[in-house]
Every structure is written in structure tokens, then in C-alpha cells.
Amino acid sequence: MTWAKSRRLALTMLAVLVYLYLSLQCPAVHAQDQSRPGLLLMYHTGYENEQVFMRAAFNLLATFGVEITPVNLEEQAPGEASLREAVEHAQYMVCLQDRQGTASLPDRWARVIRTSSAAVYFMGDDPGAVVSGLPFTAVKVLPSATKLVIRGENYPLDVALDVREIQVQVRRSGTLQARHVTDPLPVQVWSEVSNGSRTSPFVVSTRSAAGRVVFACGRYVAFGELSYAIADSLFEFFCVKVQPRQDAYIRIEDVHPMRDPEEIRKITAFLSGEQIPFLIGVIPIYQSGGEQVKLTDRPELVRALQEAQEKGATLILHGCTHQYYDTETGEGYEFWDSVNKGPIPDEEQYVQDKLQRGLHILLENKLYPAAFEPPHYAMTRHGYEVAAKYFSTVVGNLQLTDTSFITMEPPYPIHHSFQGGMTFYPENGGYVYDEQAMVVPEMLANMKKVQIVRRSQTGAFFHSYLPLADLQRLVKGMQAMKLTFFNLRNVENTVTTPWGTITTREGQLHADLQTLQADTLPAPAAPSRAQKLSNFVAWGVVSVVTTVIAVFLVQVRLLRRRRRSRLFEERPEGGESQ
């Protein structure tokens, strides 16, 4: 074989190996589910934020029962074998603006949109540059928008944003009194933005003579008030009719073996007395340095939790130890390496061991969790996929990227999520973090923002060691807002364990489990090599700092002695120093 042939063969083999490696490393897109309408989610190549934008949009859209195919506009082509079927059968298309708002839609994908009859939503791009004959364009920019207006309500934006100014050729009077898209008028305005001197439509829609639905918003935003306006418009985009309602839940957070059982009993008595269903995030093992206390070692706390469970509280597995390095339980992450900003080494086995260990401790104490909550809501997509083997449901927000800690606070439950396909019930109301007077009003203001979305859910949490009066003020404010308190047991949840299953439905909790004994508890996962190294480095730094401080204090003490000695020598005999 010649050198040239050998070189070509080697390159071919290398290409095959790279392809196989990437196939194993990259999560596969879900296979097309023919029972759900297809949707193409088009996004641009760019920094990590493009992935964040795409994943956030994926979650908002998936809740409406569509089968989503993400499409990288610069790196993928419509004719690719993996996309051909999705493109051909798409009933919906969503185009995400790039982060800078400067990238144009590639011609090959613009042609797909023009020739399709699918409903299309332009999120930030100028729809007139792609589809001709529309009664609106978005070429100019409205600088520094500070206010959202929707259904007659004004919502100040947390951050002033530049937004594409949607210019409507035919405007109707009372633009915000929008009708359904079958209205014969050509344009519906669903929300507006203002910078104080000018006002522009933010979300608009039209239906062509051929019946094609086209939506557009002035800017794609993944977080905050404008993202809520986009989420609200999706009910119209998918023609989903719902009665306006805002569900809400309260979660008692970080209940670990060192908590006071009487605090749990007082909270249970108050909330059950108000006929309010609530959640309890339980951490089965308390750990701090070398100390470790299991829930089993605290029978009085176990009884308090059992009583709460009997009175309607739904338990959540809030990790196993709620810590990863040598941090105290409740302070550190558990399923995310916050030092190296990435996944835990040997992630799959680690997550599996932690979940099984935590579940075992709860079950042996006749405590039956219905969902999972990662500590600090931090977990990679693969971690979620492992967790999905045990839990159908997560309570809390969604981490959107595997390379940095960025979470999403959606305004409604997320079904068919990008994160393992699980259902998420969000926390977007905040939490009582101290006894400052403004904390509860701030939380209620957050919940008010969520009402931008016609059918929404808000959640908030409270630590049991805080004064009960803070929880009472929060509940009173939520009741005044006429929120509907959400009972997780009313919906279908499944927890699958090696010892049986736990299910909830129509207000009932059912545990089909074998009897567990403490001596069958799985062994704790051994620290990974990276964790051992990081702990060694951390303790090394602590040792060095401690030594430096000790030397400094010794030097200070010696200097003081010398100074006193000199002062004594300088004093006149029988007198005092001057």
C-alpha cells in the first residue's frame, strides 16, 4: 500500500472514530412522535447564550404538546436525512433571533418558511424580510423600552431593553382588546412596549388569505416580563383556550435531620388549618465535615414529617445530603460541581447512588416522596436524564446549560421538558430569606408578574427555622391575590425505586413498596478522584492561611512584649512615662 493510500485510510478511520465519539457524547434529539404535531425550533449558531435561548424556548413550547426538532440555522440544512421528515411534516415553526439581533435567516431556511403552510412565529426577526404581503414589519428599533402593557395592565421592566418596533400598516382602535385569530381584521395586537415617549406593539399576529397564521414579537427574551408576554401569546399561537387562573404552591425547604420537629408541627398545624396543601423538601442526611446524621437517627422529626404527610403535605426528595465538597448540608450543591463549573465526575453512577440512598432512607421511615428537587436547582441535562429513571416530576426551576449555572423560571408547569422529558413545577415567587419587612411584599410582586400569563403557576418556599409570622404574612398576601393553591397529589406523578413505586393521582398518594430495613441501605458513593483532589487543595489552602494567621498573631504578640519592655526601660525610676 502506498503512503498516500495509507494516509487516506488513516484519515477515514479517524473521521469514523470522531463521528462515533460525537454520537455517543451528544444527546440525541427525541425520535419523531407522530401522535404530536411537529414543530421546527430554529436558532442561530453563537455563544452559549444561543443554546440557553433555544432550551428556554423549547421548554415553553413543549408544554403545548408539540414534538420539537431543534434546528441550528447555520450548521444544518433542510435536505439532511435527519431533518427531512421533520421539515416535511412540521405544522409549526418558531424562529429565534440571535443574541445580538444581527444575524439574518439563511436563504435555504427562508425558502422553507416561505413555501410552508405551517404556522410561524418570528421571535425578534423581521417577518417582512421572509414572508411577503404581511400587514406588519419590524425594521426600526424602539430604544430602551421600560414598560410592558398587556390586557390593560402596566408592568415595569426590570431592565430597559432595545426592542424591534413593529409597524402595523392597518391598526384597529383599542388594539389591546384582541380577538381570536379568526377575526376578519388583519392584525391582532396582544401586547405593547413603551419607553415613555413612544409605544410599539410587542406581540402581533395575522392570518393570511390562505389561512396561514403568522406571529411576531419585537425581541426574543428568555427571562422576565417580556418572556412572560411571549409565553402568554403561545396560547393564541397554538389556539389553546383556557380560563384565566393562577395556581400557586408553598414549599417548606431544607428539612434535614437537624431541624426542630416542633417547627414542622407548627407549620403543619397552620397550613392544614387554612386548608392549604403544601410541599416539604426533605434532605435525608445531614453532613458537616466529619459529622453525619441520618433522618433515621431523629425519630421525633420522622414522626413530625409522618404527621404532616397524613395531613396532606407532599414530600419532595431534596437531594441526599445537599452538599458536594466539605460544605454543610443545605449550603452546597450536590449534583453540580460549583468549583469546576460542570458536571460531577462519574455523573451517572454518582446521581444514581445518591438518589437510591436518599430514597431508601425516606422509605424505611414510611415517608413517601412524590417528586425530586435538585439542591439549588443545579443539574446537567444528563443528570436530569438519570433522575428521570426514578422521578417523573421535578419541583423547582430548570438549569439550562451544562457549562454554567443558569436557571429558567417558567410561568407555568413545563411538560415534555428538554431536561430529561420530566414535568417541572416552577418556583418563580422567591423565598423568605430573612426577617426584613420588604421580603414578603417583593415575593408577592413577583407572583403578580406571573399573572401576565393567562394560565400560570407560581411557587415560593420558606425555611422552617424562620418565624411562623413570616409564613402567615405570605399566605395572607397570596390569599388576597385570590391564588388557587396547588396540590401536587391532584396530578399524576410516579416515583420508581428498586423497592417499588409511589404514585399520586386525584388527591391520593399510593405506595406499593416492599418492607425496608436499615441494614440494606446502599453504601454511600465513594468520593471521585476529582473531588478528593479538590478537597485536598481546599484543605491545603485552609492550612496555609491558618499557618500565616498564626505566625502573624505570634509576631504581633512578640512586638507588643518588646514594646512594653522598651517602655519600662525608658520610664524614670519611681515615675511614669510621658
Side-chain angles (χ1 to χ4, degrees):
M1 184 181 291
T2 65
W3 181 85
K5 287 184 178 179
S6 298
R7 182 171 178 271
R8 283 197 298 272
L9 179 60
L11 289 173
T12 301
M13 292 177 68
L14 178 62
V16 170
L17 289 172
V18 169
Y19 172 79
L20 290 173
Y21 174 79
L22 292 175
S23 298
L24 291 171
Q25 296 297 314
C26 299
V29 175
H30 297 295
Q32 278 299 115
D33 182 352
Q34 299 298 333
S35 65
R36 292 193 280 161
L39 183 147
L40 296 182
L41 177 56
M42 305 175 181
Y43 67 101
H44 291 274
T45 298
Y47 296 103
E48 180 184 89
N49 282 316
E50 262 63 44
Q51 277 287 329
V52 169
F53 285 2
M54 183 275 285
R55 294 182 181 199
F58 186 108
N59 288 323
L60 289 179
L61 295 162
T63 290
F64 291 89
V66 287
E67 182 70 18
I68 300 174
T69 302
V71 174
N72 187 309
L73 291 167
E74 282 76 26
E75 296 181 5
Q76 293 178 281
E80 291 180 10
S82 60
L83 291 178
R84 202 171 296 138
E85 183 181 356
V87 170
E88 182 180 347
H89 296 290
Q91 297 180 39
Y92 301 95
M93 297 180 180
V94 174
C95 244
L96 299 185
Q97 175 188 34
D98 71 300
R99 178 168 168 75
Q100 302 301 325
T102 56
S104 58
L105 194 68
D107 288 341
R108 60 181 182 267
W109 286 107
R111 284 194 297 272
V112 168
I113 293 175
R114 288 192 201 101
T115 57
S116 174
S117 61
V120 60
Y121 200 142
F122 293 94
M123 294 190 175
D125 286 319
D126 177 20
V130 182
V131 179
S132 60
L134 293 176
F136 47 74
T137 58
V139 179
K140 298 180 180 180
V141 172
L142 179 74
S144 301
T146 57
K147 181 174 67 175
L148 168 72
V149 184
I150 181 168
R151 292 188 290 275
E153 294 281 343
N154 295 321
Y155 295 89
L157 305 184
D158 287 339
V159 179
L161 294 172
D162 294 342
V163 177
R164 280 187 183 267
E165 187 172 355
I166 299 179
Q167 297 174 307
V168 179
Q169 295 174 3
V170 180
R171 293 291 297 274
R172 60 181 289 186
S173 61
T175 55
L176 294 181
Q177 302 302 314
R179 302 182 187 177
H180 188 261
V181 289
T182 56
D183 191 308
L185 292 171
V187 179
Q188 285 76 44
V189 179
W190 304 106
S191 57
E192 293 180 316
V193 286
S194 172
N195 62 3
S197 58
R198 292 212 317 273
T199 299
S200 169
F202 179 63
V203 177
V204 300
S205 69
T206 190
R207 182 185 287 271
S208 70
R212 187 181 193 187
V213 173
V214 179
F215 271 67
C217 66
R219 175 171 177 158
Y220 174 61
V221 184
F223 309 97
E225 296 84 359
L226 295 185
S227 75
Y228 290 172
I230 293 171
D232 181 73
S233 70
L234 294 178
F235 288 88
E236 296 294 339
F237 182 62
F238 292 110
C239 294
V240 174
K241 290 300 177 183
V242 293
Q243 290 296 319
R245 192 179 82 189
Q246 187 179 21
D247 291 336
Y249 72 76
I250 291 175
R251 186 174 76 241
I252 310 305
E253 188 77 329
D254 291 345
V255 178
H256 57 62
M258 303 304 285
R259 295 292 189 226
D260 185 348
E262 288 309 309
E263 293 171 347
I264 304 302
R265 288 192 171 100
K266 289 177 182 177
I267 290 171
T268 299
F270 165 62
L271 292 174
S272 62
E274 293 287 322
Q275 297 185 326
I276 295 175
F278 62 104
L279 308 171
I280 303 180
V282 183
I283 308 165
I285 299 176
Y286 172 85
Q287 199 157 298
S288 180
E291 180 185 16
Q292 186 180 91
V293 182
K294 299 183 185 69
L295 196 58
T296 311
D297 303 324
R298 294 288 187 264
E300 197 58 34
L301 178 59
V302 169
R303 278 192 287 272
L305 290 171
Q306 289 172 342
E307 291 164 8
Q309 184 174 251
E310 290 168 4
K311 293 181 179 180
T314 303
L315 305 186
I316 309 297
L317 179 66
H318 188 25
C320 181
T321 62
H322 201 315
Q323 53 84 238
Y324 178 59
Y325 291 104
D326 288 330
T327 54
E328 182 184 10
T329 285
E331 298 298 324
Y333 297 78
E334 184 169 6
F335 300 103
W336 172 256
D337 188 337
S338 59
V339 174
N340 297 306
K341 296 180 173 59
I344 302 294
D346 305 319
E347 183 178 35
E348 183 160 349
Q349 188 64 47
Y350 173 88
V351 173
Q352 178 176 296
D353 290 348
K354 283 279 194 167
L355 295 182
Q356 288 194 21
R357 186 169 173 79
L359 283 166
H360 193 287
I361 293 175
L362 292 186
L363 300 186
E364 74 183 17
N365 288 288
K366 296 181 173 55
L367 299 172
Y368 307 117
F372 172 59
E373 179 197 349
H376 298 313
Y377 310 137
M379 205 170 209
T380 68
R381 187 186 183 195
H382 182 59
Y384 284 121
E385 289 171 341
V386 177
K389 298 176 183 177
Y390 299 87
F391 296 93
S392 66
T393 306
V394 171
V395 174
N397 299 327
L398 301 77
Q399 179 165 327
L400 291 174
T401 168
D402 296 347
T403 55
S404 62
F405 180 54
I406 300 174
T407 59
M408 174 188 185
E409 299 179 1
Y412 45 61
I414 299 301
H415 305 286
H416 310 293
S417 64
F418 190 84
Q419 286 76 5
M422 291 186 286
T423 293
F424 285 72
Y425 292 98
E427 176 266 299
N428 45 41
Y431 64 101
V432 180
Y433 52 86
D434 57 29
E435 298 179 49
Q436 294 181 17
M438 288 307 297
V439 172
V440 170
E442 287 173 359
M443 295 172 68
L444 296 174
N446 290 338
M447 296 178 183
K448 175 68 175 175
K449 290 178 185 178
V450 181
Q451 290 182 327
I452 290 170
V453 183
R454 64 192 70 182
R455 187 66 169 267
S456 58
Q457 184 183 61
T458 186
F461 66 86
F462 176 83
H463 289 100
S464 61
Y465 55 81
L466 292 171
L468 183 63
D470 291 340
L471 178 61
Q472 291 168 334
R473 279 194 292 272
L474 176 62
V475 168
K476 184 178 180 180
M478 295 171 73
Q479 289 170 329
M481 292 172 64
K482 300 191 183 305
L483 303 179
T484 301
F485 285 98
F486 171 70
N487 188 349
L488 187 62
R489 295 192 190 185
N490 285 341
V491 295
E492 292 188 19
N493 303 287
T494 302
V495 179
T496 304
T497 81
W499 312 282
T501 60
I502 303 164
T503 56
T504 67
R505 185 179 183 182
E506 297 178 350
Q508 300 299 312
L509 183 147
H510 179 69
D512 183 11
L513 300 161
Q514 67 186 64
T515 303
L516 297 180
Q517 301 297 328
D519 57 4
T520 63
L521 184 67
S528 69
R529 190 175 180 180
Q531 188 176 355
K532 288 178 180 177
L533 179 61
S534 296
N535 281 333
F536 176 78
V537 171
W539 280 112
V541 171
V542 170
S543 300
V544 170
V545 171
T546 303
T547 303
V548 169
I549 292 173
V551 171
F552 174 75
L553 292 175
V554 169
Q555 291 294 328
V556 168
R557 189 171 183 182
L558 289 174
L559 286 172
R560 285 179 175 174
R561 284 182 177 178
R562 289 173 185 170
R563 185 170 180 272
R564 283 200 302 270
S565 177
R566 286 197 300 270
L567 287 172
F568 178 77
E569 292 171 356
E570 291 171 359
R571 290 176 183 172
E573 186 174 349
E576 293 183 356
S577 62
Q578 303 298 315

